Amino acid sequence: SSGINAEYGEYIYFWVTKRERRTPESFHSEVVAEVTKFNKCLEIRSFIQCCHTTDHSHRVRLALGLYICYAKEWASVFRENLLAVTMEEYQSEPVETLLNIYDHIG
């Protein structure tokens, strides 16, 4: 749910032009089209390849919301040096979360 809220917020905020009015209906339509494209990609490519393809909409950036695509790669490279922090953690306890990040960085 928070991922959808973030995608919708970005859709409304960043991609509005003076001639175009964004609505929940237009967002839904573009998300359905993007998910369909992603599923078609999965028929011929791996999950990771589909995450990295350049054939994604720049208005509804579905692949950016698929954190697992990137987290697996980062974890394989950085191992114990990787610290995952959720937006929920940061929003509920910003000071404690930042102190944890600073402690992790050293």
Side-chain angles (χ1 to χ4, degrees):
S1 169
S2 64
I4 294 296
N5 290 337
E7 283 283 340
Y8 183 67
E10 180 179 287
Y11 176 81
I12 292 296
Y13 184 78
F14 288 110
W15 301 104
V16 174
T17 64
K18 291 181 181 181
R19 294 177 290 159
E20 182 180 31
R21 186 167 178 267
R22 297 294 174 93
T23 65
E25 294 79 18
S26 65
F27 174 71
H28 175 77
S29 177
E30 291 194 43
V31 167
V32 168
E34 191 66 13
V35 168
T36 300
K37 256 198 307 193
F38 193 84
N39 285 335
K40 286 185 182 193
C41 179
L42 290 173
E43 292 174 6
I44 57 173
R45 295 190 177 114
S46 73
F47 180 73
I48 296 297
Q49 287 172 323
C50 291
C51 289
H52 290 288
T53 184
T54 59
D55 188 34
H56 295 299
S57 165
H58 294 288
R59 292 158 44 118
V60 179
R61 300 180 321 157
L62 175 70
L64 289 182
L66 298 173
Y67 305 122
I68 193 67
C69 290
Y70 314 105
K72 282 182 176 181
E73 292 177 351
W74 295 336
S76 72
V77 173
F78 297 109
R79 293 178 181 73
E80 69 277 349
N81 293 323
L82 183 67
L83 175 67
V85 177
T86 66
M87 184 58 77
E88 289 80 9
E89 288 174 293
Y90 181 70
Q91 287 177 337
S92 67
E93 298 286 338
V95 173
E96 184 177 318
T97 302
L98 287 174
L99 289 173
N100 188 24
I101 293 169
Y102 297 148
D103 185 53
H104 181 78
I105 293 170

